[in-house]
Amino acid sequence: MLTFLLPFVAPLVFGLLIDSEERYYTLDDFQKVRKIDTHTHHNSESTALIEAGRESNFFLLTVNVDVPSYPPLTEQIRLSLHQKSANPTHIDFLSTISLADWKDPDWAEKEIKRIAATFEQGAIGIKIWKNIGMTYRDEKGEFIMADHPRLEPIFKFVEAQDKTLMAHLGEPKNCWLPLEEMTVNNDRIYFKEHPEYHMYLHPEYPSYEQQIEARDRLLAKFPNIRFVGAHLGSLEWDVDELAKRLDRYPNLAVDMAARIGHLQFQSQKDRKRIRDFMIKYQDRLIYGTDLGISGNPDPERIKANAKSTWLRDWKYFVTDERMEVSVVNGPFQGLKLPKDVIDKIYYHNAMKWFRPTFN
């Protein structure tokens, strides 16, 4: 009987195997697939991180940002141009704005002139950071939020130049919780080390909801600007909440930099919900890590860390294997997303939303 059925069963099984090979990547495909990491920080003349990218078939976007511990903005631009000069086909950069001279009545005009110069140097957009909403105050002593009217000329200029606006506004919702109640370990570590940004300790600052609402009003004001919400748009805690914004604002995409652990945490409870979300919004999700390099580091350590990060994320997205990572307590299962979804998340969406010069 089995012998009789073999001619009918064998093609079916073979077909299923072929279909699986055609529809899904494996761990072994990592090196073969063209990929972009859209969120890195190159505050060093060392090219170790780009070298790791070249060896792993990754193109990189380095992001300038007004972080107190980073080099001055002029130095960040110099370092970006240095990296671009050394590897012109493998890296592009975003510039940023500074609110340091906010009280100058000509602040916006001067910032636009400075930003225009960076665009002429090759910047493909700008990034704004959480110091909008968490650090700077206006002449009335009130926090400068993302939808402040004096910021609008900057955003109008970026839109008119057909550039991209990346925005890290607000923080993970964990930021408003005590350390022991946070959901992922990297948030717990970061806010322990940076109490100045741990909003649980600063109830007098704008709330999580106020940060998100200001960002949403900004999106509503500028429906045609290409907008990438860094770090899952600070809606990392619930993909359903993120989905509401993606439905409401068609010009919004989000990167996953330093927030994949939040997807993995949610996968522990409901893997299907996360997988369905990734597939439904496959055109709006962009891969990024927040990997950085500064000073004069050990190049082999930088390369090893980058490759292990990229491979760990690849495993989560392309396989259905059981996994454990340091940022999440307990195991979870990989999502095993189809090839076409992976290609969008890792490459095509970055090309659409950032329009980098490498090809």
Side-chain angles (χ1 to χ4, degrees):
M1 183 66 176
L2 290 175
T3 304
F4 173 75
L5 290 174
L6 189 59
F8 302 96
V9 174
L12 177 62
V13 173
F14 182 72
L16 290 173
L17 291 173
I18 294 296
D19 181 62
S20 179
E21 290 178 1
E22 291 179 347
R23 291 187 61 207
Y24 300 101
Y25 287 122
T26 69
L27 284 175
D28 293 337
D29 292 315
F30 173 78
Q31 183 70 33
K32 307 171 190 173
V33 178
R34 192 178 177 95
K35 304 174 292 294
I36 302 174
D37 185 339
T38 62
H39 198 137
T40 64
H41 300 284
H42 293 247
N43 295 321
S44 170
E45 291 192 354
S46 170
T47 58
L49 190 51
I50 297 182
E51 291 166 19
R54 292 173 69 100
E55 292 168 10
S56 300
N57 208 358
F58 257 108
F59 300 81
L60 306 180
L61 182 59
T62 182
V63 180
N64 294 177
V65 60
D66 188 18
V67 175
S69 60
Y70 281 15
L73 300 187
T74 53
E75 176 65 1
Q76 289 187 51
I77 292 293
R78 186 190 74 79
L79 291 169
S80 295
L81 294 173
H82 169 80
Q83 298 289 348
K84 181 70 175 172
S85 175
N87 288 275
T89 61
H90 274 75
I91 191 166
D92 270 312
F93 72 100
L94 296 179
S95 61
T96 190
I97 67 172
S98 170
L99 275 64
D101 297 325
W102 176 267
K103 294 181 180 180
D104 185 332
D106 298 324
W107 170 82
E109 181 181 338
K110 291 177 180 178
E111 276 302 295
I112 288 171
K113 184 177 180 180
R114 192 185 60 76
I115 292 167
T118 69
F119 288 168
E120 292 175 1
Q121 291 172 302
I124 60 175
I126 68 168
K127 178 182 179 177
I128 58 176
W129 194 54
K130 66 187 181 188
N131 52 12
I132 295 175
M134 289 189 171
T135 301
Y136 287 108
R137 298 176 187 252
D138 65 15
E139 57 280 359
K140 298 178 182 179
E142 297 176 353
F143 282 94
I144 298 168
M145 304 299 284
D147 62 337
H148 196 290
R150 286 195 70 197
L151 292 169
E152 291 185 15
I154 305 288
F155 303 145
K156 287 178 181 177
F157 177 73
V158 172
E159 181 181 342
Q161 294 296 307
D162 196 27
K163 302 293 185 178
T164 299
L165 174 62
M166 175 190 275
H168 174 174
L169 297 169
E171 281 285 65
K173 200 171 184 181
N174 280 337
C175 179
W176 282 264
L177 297 174
L179 294 173
E180 62 273 15
E181 293 182 21
M182 293 183 182
T183 56
V184 296
N185 295 324
N186 53 329
D187 283 352
R188 193 172 294 112
I189 293 168
Y190 177 83
F191 292 115
K192 183 177 181 180
E193 294 177 350
H194 296 277
E196 70 274 24
Y197 296 123
H198 187 186
M199 291 299 106
Y200 176 75
L201 304 177
H202 304 283
E204 72 279 12
Y205 280 41
S207 67
Y208 172 78
E209 290 75 17
Q210 289 172 315
Q211 301 283 357
I212 297 301
E213 288 165 3
R215 191 277 315 281
D216 288 353
R217 288 192 295 269
L218 169 58
L219 283 165
K221 284 183 181 180
F222 292 90
N224 297 316
I225 198 169
R226 283 199 309 278
F227 192 104
V228 176
H231 311 299
L232 290 174
S234 293
L235 291 160
E236 72 303 313
W237 61 282
D238 187 345
V239 294
D240 292 337
E241 286 297 316
L242 176 53
K244 291 176 185 177
R245 273 49 176 219
L246 293 171
D247 290 340
R248 190 181 305 161
Y249 305 111
N251 61 322
L252 169 66
V254 294
D255 80 24
M256 307 178 201
R259 300 294 184 268
I260 290 174
H262 288 269
L263 298 176
Q264 294 165 338
F265 175 78
Q266 293 175 74
S267 293
Q268 291 177 319
K269 299 179 180 180
D270 192 344
R271 173 182 178 269
K272 183 178 184 302
R273 184 168 70 102
I274 306 307
R275 188 174 189 274
D276 289 348
F277 167 81
M278 301 288 289
I279 292 173
K280 181 176 180 179
Y281 295 97
Q282 60 186 271
D283 296 313
R284 314 283 288 282
L285 305 173
I286 302 173
Y287 181 75
T289 59
D290 218 3
L291 286 169
I293 181 171
S294 60
N296 186 28
D298 175 2
E300 295 308 313
R301 181 184 62 81
I302 293 293
K303 292 165 95 172
N305 179 60
K307 290 178 181 179
S308 66
T309 299
W310 290 330
L311 277 168
R312 184 170 60 245
D313 294 343
W314 180 261
K315 182 179 180 180
Y316 173 58
F317 290 126
V318 308
T319 81
D320 56 3
E321 294 183 20
R322 187 177 174 88
M323 298 178 59
E324 291 192 45
V325 296
S326 62
V327 301
V328 178
N329 295 326
F332 54 89
Q333 187 180 2
L335 298 179
K336 195 173 184 179
L337 298 170
K339 278 184 178 180
D340 55 347
V341 177
I342 294 295
D343 288 339
K344 289 178 180 179
I345 289 171
Y346 272 91
Y347 188 80
H348 296 301
N349 293 344
M351 296 299 293
K352 174 182 177 181
W353 291 89
F354 287 106
R355 301 186 182 176
T357 60
F358 43 69
N359 53 50

